[in-house]
């Protein structure tokens, strides 16, 4: 049975939200990951995809984990050929691609984050039960 694109994104986002909340080493990091996931769409819309990715890469910690999730989701869904293997390669790819491709990556990042930002609350509630 085939799944819709939203179902695929939701399954991926559930894994990301679960990993993000599970890998946090305490309440402070859990809150940080949750806040980053919830604020990421606005940051991308205000600053752009590449500046947001660069910010998360520089910040590290929970932001680095969210960056890993975004890069994995973008690579999995859009599959550039050859597929960038790390942050620097991914950024070089985005710098050199056509504007329509860059917009596809931005749109896909927002779609992935739409699900992650909803699921961090569900994962957090699951953990507190």
């Amino acid at each position: 049975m085939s799944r819709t694109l939203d179902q695929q994104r939701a399954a991926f986002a559930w894994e990301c939200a679960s990993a993000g909340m599970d890998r946090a080493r305490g309440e402070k990091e859990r809150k940080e990951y949750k806040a980053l996931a919830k604020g990421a769409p606005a940051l991308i819309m205000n600053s752009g995809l590449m500046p947001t990715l660069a910010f998360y890469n520089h910040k590290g910690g929970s932001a680095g984990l969210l960056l890993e999730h975004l890069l994995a989701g973008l690579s999995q869904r859009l599959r550039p050929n050859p597929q960038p293997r790390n942050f620097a390669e991914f950024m070089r790819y985005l710098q050199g691609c056509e504007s329509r491709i860059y917009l596809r990556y931005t749109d896909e990042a927002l779609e992935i984050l739409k699900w992650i930002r909803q699921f961090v609350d569900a994962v957090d509630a699951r953990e507190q039960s």
Side-chain angles (χ1 to χ4, degrees):
M1 176 162 63
S2 64
R3 298 184 303 170
T4 67
L5 185 52
D6 263 352
Q7 287 174 307
Q8 293 171 29
R9 286 182 182 131
F12 176 78
W14 181 261
E15 294 303 318
C16 292
S18 296
M21 298 302 277
D22 291 345
R23 286 178 49 186
R25 295 184 188 101
E27 190 60 29
K28 182 180 176 188
E29 287 186 16
R30 291 171 69 82
K31 285 182 180 179
E32 181 182 19
Y33 183 84
K34 187 187 263 191
L36 287 165
K38 289 188 173 285
L43 188 57
I44 289 172
M45 288 188 291
N46 289 328
S47 299
L49 178 61
M50 289 178 60
T52 300
L53 297 177
F55 170 72
Y56 289 159
N57 186 61
H58 173 72
K59 190 167 170 74
S62 295
L65 182 57
L66 186 58
L67 172 66
E68 287 177 32
H69 293 159
L70 277 173
L71 294 181
L74 293 172
S75 295
Q76 176 183 356
R77 172 76 182 96
L78 299 175
R79 301 191 201 289
N81 197 2
Q83 189 169 345
R85 291 185 297 252
N86 59 39
F87 172 75
E89 286 183 25
F90 200 88
M91 292 296 274
R92 279 192 294 276
Y93 174 78
L94 290 177
Q95 290 167 7
C97 69
E98 297 176 25
S99 59
R100 67 180 177 80
I101 302 295
Y102 183 80
L103 290 174
R104 282 185 65 210
Y105 275 86
T106 301
D107 289 344
E108 185 63 25
L110 292 171
E111 288 295 323
I112 292 167
L113 287 166
K114 174 180 75 175
W115 287 100
I116 292 175
R117 71 187 304 263
Q118 296 301 318
F119 287 158
V120 290
D121 287 326
V123 169
D124 198 30
R126 176 194 70 185
E127 296 295 323
Q128 293 176 3
S129 299

